[in-house]
């Protein structure tokens, strides 16, 4: 089930941050939702045991129903943010496997970074992977901001890189990517590294040559 299939009530008057927090809690974070539901249900149970009124019993039953339904809904609903994170993870996995074709599935036809188009980008990645071997790649610190059919994603990647002559190093790289929705699929239209003390690059051209 896709989030777009769910028509939520009007949230007029709510801030963007509040709406994003609610969506994250309801649809993306079981680690937060389940403990909150358990605590809320415990409080409702204590109130019912003390008062034994119809209202407290009704509240307890409603809370119990939500404890069952909300986690089930969370398992069924896939938000745009989750879809984009899955795409990022798939690209990291494809890079580790050296699978340029799989990487290309997630790169949009209109990809362009200061004149570097999709073909040049994939050719450059392919040449880089031919010179080195990537192992133990992992994605972390993923921050996603979705605005309609476009999303800005910041993330880190840590991996082991084995270069010629078996020189091995473990870089922690930081990236900013732009994604667009094409025919229902999120694809990358631009990406640039972010300079860090351990990864001193700030332009894609410095890595794709």
């Amino acid at each position: 089930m896709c989030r777009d299939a769910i028509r939520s009530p009007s949230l007029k008057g709510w801030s963007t941050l509040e709406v994003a927090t609610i969506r994250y809690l309801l649809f993306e974070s079981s680690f937060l939702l389940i403990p909150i539901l358990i605590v809320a249900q415990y409080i409702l149970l204590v109130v019912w045991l003390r008062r034994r009124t119809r209202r407290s019993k009704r509240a307890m039953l409603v809370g119990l129903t939500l404890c069952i339904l909300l986690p089930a809904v969370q398992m069924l609903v896939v938000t745009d943010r989750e879809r984009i994170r899955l795409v990022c993870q798939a690209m990291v996995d494809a890079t580790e496997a050296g699978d340029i074709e799989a990487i290309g599935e997630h790169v949009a036809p209109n990809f362009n970074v200061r004149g570097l188009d999709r073909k040049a980008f994939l050719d450059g990645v392919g040449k880089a992977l031919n010179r080195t071997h990537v192992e133990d790649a992992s994605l972390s610190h993923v921050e996603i901001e979705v605005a309609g059919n476009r999303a800005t994603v910041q993330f880190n990647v840590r991996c082991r890189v084995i270069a010629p002559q078996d020189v091995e190093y473990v870089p922690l790289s930081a990236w900013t990517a732009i994604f667009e929705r094409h025919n229902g699929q999120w694809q990358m239209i631009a990406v640039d590294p972010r300079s860090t003390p351990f990864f001193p690059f700030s332009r894609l051209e410095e890595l794709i040559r």
Side-chain angles (χ1 to χ4, degrees):
M1 179 184 288
C2 174
R3 176 185 60 80
D4 298 334
I6 295 178
R7 299 301 179 187
S8 17
S10 173
L11 296 177
K12 185 177 181 180
W14 293 64
S15 71
T16 302
L17 178 59
E18 289 170 334
V19 173
T21 300
I22 292 172
R23 287 178 177 170
Y24 176 74
L25 177 62
L26 291 180
F27 301 126
E28 298 178 18
S29 178
S30 57
F31 295 105
L32 289 177
L33 178 62
I34 292 177
I36 289 174
L37 289 175
I38 291 174
V39 172
Q41 184 60 27
Y42 175 77
I43 293 172
L44 292 174
L45 177 62
V46 170
V47 171
W48 177 71
L49 290 174
R50 290 182 178 179
R51 298 184 179 179
R52 299 282 182 169
T53 63
R54 289 185 178 180
R55 178 176 295 181
S56 61
K57 181 180 180 180
R58 190 181 302 116
M60 183 191 66
L61 292 176
V62 169
L64 182 60
T65 302
L66 291 176
C67 284
I68 297 172
L69 289 181
L70 288 181
V73 169
Q74 192 175 80
M75 292 178 63
L76 294 173
V77 172
V78 181
T79 67
D80 287 330
R81 286 160 48 92
E82 289 174 313
R83 290 178 182 275
I84 294 168
R85 185 186 177 97
L86 288 173
V87 170
C88 292
Q89 184 62 60
M91 295 182 73
V92 170
D93 293 342
T95 300
E96 182 174 356
D99 191 340
I100 299 300
E101 184 176 344
I103 295 174
E105 292 177 1
H106 305 293
V107 180
N110 60 329
F111 178 94
N112 193 292
V113 177
R114 293 177 293 275
L116 187 74
D117 62 12
R118 180 180 187 276
K119 184 180 184 304
F121 170 71
L122 293 176
D123 287 346
V125 172
K127 291 177 182 178
L129 292 178
N130 285 334
R131 295 193 301 266
T132 59
H133 180 64
V134 178
E135 294 183 353
D136 301 328
S138 62
L139 184 70
S140 63
H141 297 90
V142 183
E143 298 180 5
I144 303 171
E145 294 184 5
V146 179
N149 289 322
R150 178 169 288 206
T152 301
V153 186
Q154 292 189 343
F155 58 92
N156 292 348
V157 176
R158 182 185 293 277
C159 60
R160 288 198 308 130
V161 177
I162 302 175
Q165 291 81 46
D166 292 330
V167 177
E168 183 177 326
Y169 54 101
V170 185
L172 174 63
S173 57
W175 302 84
T176 298
I178 307 296
F179 284 79
E180 275 187 353
R181 198 196 320 258
H182 291 264
N183 299 320
Q185 301 295 321
W186 287 97
Q187 293 183 309
M188 187 171 69
I189 63 168
V191 64
D192 259 325
R194 300 197 318 274
S195 180
T196 70
F198 305 101
F199 193 72
F201 303 101
S202 59
R203 294 169 66 91
L204 185 63
E205 301 92 314
E206 297 175 288
L207 299 170
I208 303 296
R209 302 183 183 186

